């Protein structure tokens, strides 16, 4: 069965420090991978996605992620964290739905809550 | 551009009551999805509609029904609400090779 694991439930960093959020997946085929961010009381916003091609993916807000097939990982990184990055982050694997019309059928990790200290 | 719109934003139900959560998207996407979010569990798929006229079960469909009213609208119905259905519900839509676009969520409490 497909699964996504985010090993860190809660991470605290200082503003300006670098950040890496871990994501490991279990999936039989070529994975379609996503990172979403959720601010309190809000919906989910896409940070970046990997469908194919270059394994280093650039996203919004200065985030990047690297797909490593050999390690079944898709870790999210940011070189310098801002206070506004405090939120919950979700990694997800997209599956082709029964109709073959989209990869929006997602399996999510448990989420990582990021706290940023000034 | 509104994207994905969910109504209502908040709802309190008594056990056994029924209600329908509404979702509409204006991006002309074929696929629409309903997820629930519970603390420490990420989001889990309840039902989805790959295209107008079709619906399929997701990971946690028990206690729910759905209707794909037209290409824009996808509703989720709780026929007899239970406290275990207290959650935040998200609707999403997508197309092939796009990400899923999410609504702002409906926070449901069943007492």
């Amino acid at each position: 069965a497909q699964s996504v694991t985010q090993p860190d439930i809660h991470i605290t960093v200082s503003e300006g420090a670098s950040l890496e959020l871990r994501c490991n997946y279990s999936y039989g085929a070529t994975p379609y991978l996503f990172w979403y961010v959720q601010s309190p009381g809000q919906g989910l916003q896409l940070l970046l996605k990997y469908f194919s091609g270059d394994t280093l993916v650039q996203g919004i807000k200065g985030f990047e992620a690297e797909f490593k097939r050999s390690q079944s990982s898709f870790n999210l990184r940011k070189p310098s964290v801002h206070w506004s990055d405090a939120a919950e982050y979700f990694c997800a694997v997209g599956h082709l739905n029964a109709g073959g019309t989209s990869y929006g059928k997602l399996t999510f990790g448990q989420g990582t809550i990021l706290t940023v200290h000034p | 551009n509104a994207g994905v719109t969910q109504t209502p934003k908040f709802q309190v139900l008594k056990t056994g009551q029924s209600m329908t959560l509404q979702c509409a998207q204006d991006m002309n996407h074929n696929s629409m999805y309903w997820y629930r979010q519970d603390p420490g569990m990420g989001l889990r798929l309840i039902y989805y509609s790959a295209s107008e006229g079709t619906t399929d079960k997701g990971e946690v469909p028990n206690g729910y029904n759905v209707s794909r009213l037209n290409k824009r609208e996808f509703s989720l119905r709780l026929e007899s609400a239970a406290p275990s259905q207290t959650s935040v519900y998200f609707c999403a839509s997508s197309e092939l090779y796009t990400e899923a676009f999410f609504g702002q969520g409906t926070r449901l409490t069943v007492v």
Side-chain angles (χ1 to χ4, degrees):
Chain A
Q2 301 90 346
S3 65
V4 177
T5 301
Q6 294 179 243
D8 304 304
I9 297 173
H10 197 164
I11 284 183
T12 300
V13 299
S14 298
E15 192 169 15
S18 62
L19 173 70
E20 183 170 32
L21 301 183
R22 296 182 290 164
C23 173
N24 293 96
Y25 65 88
S26 171
Y27 191 65
T30 300
Y32 292 91
L33 297 161
F34 305 87
W35 275 100
Y36 284 89
V37 61
Q38 184 182 34
S39 298
Q42 300 297 311
L44 278 75
Q45 180 184 23
L46 180 76
L47 284 176
L48 46 78
K49 59 188 177 186
Y50 172 78
F51 279 157
S52 64
D54 193 346
T55 56
L56 184 62
V57 181
Q58 302 296 321
I60 63 171
K61 303 183 181 185
F63 285 92
E64 67 177 24
E66 186 170 13
F67 169 58
K68 293 185 177 180
R69 185 186 299 274
S70 61
Q71 298 177 20
S72 298
S73 68
F74 189 55
N75 294 347
L76 182 71
R77 300 193 293 249
K78 186 170 185 178
S80 177
V81 171
H82 188 263
W83 65 266
S84 60
D85 293 324
E88 190 163 15
Y89 292 79
F90 292 96
C91 180
V93 169
H95 315 271
L96 190 62
N97 64 31
T101 56
S102 91
Y103 288 89
K105 189 179 172 186
L106 301 168
T107 297
F108 282 87
Q110 301 92 323
T112 298
I113 297 171
L114 175 64
T115 298
V116 181
H117 282 165
Chain B
N1 50 350
V4 179
T5 303
Q6 293 182 232
T7 54
K9 288 185 170 49
F10 301 93
Q11 184 71 49
V12 178
L13 288 179
K14 294 182 179 179
T15 297
Q17 286 185 318
S18 63
M19 79 161 294
T20 300
L21 281 64
Q22 306 286 353
C23 174
Q25 53 95 5
D26 62 2
M27 295 172 283
N28 202 37
H29 287 165
N30 276 302
S31 303
M32 297 186 72
Y33 302 83
W34 278 105
Y35 291 88
R36 61 177 288 172
Q37 182 179 23
D38 302 293
M41 303 188 72
L43 282 78
R44 293 178 292 168
L45 182 64
I46 304 170
Y47 270 95
Y48 69 96
S49 171
S51 59
E52 188 177 354
T54 70
T55 60
D56 285 281
K57 294 179 180 179
E59 182 184 353
V60 288
N62 291 345
Y64 305 95
N65 286 301
V66 291
S67 295
R68 184 73 181 269
L69 304 171
N70 47 56
K71 192 170 185 179
R72 290 187 65 248
E73 298 173 289
F74 188 40
S75 63
L76 179 72
R77 183 161 179 84
L78 287 70
E79 291 290 353
S80 179
S84 61
Q85 295 178 304
T86 293
S87 188
V88 182
Y89 292 84
F90 286 98
C91 178
S93 70
S94 69
E95 268 300 331
L96 196 59
Y97 300 121
T98 75
E99 66 271 27
F101 292 82
F102 286 83
Q104 291 299 296
T106 295
R107 188 172 296 273
L108 176 67
T109 302
V110 182
V111 298

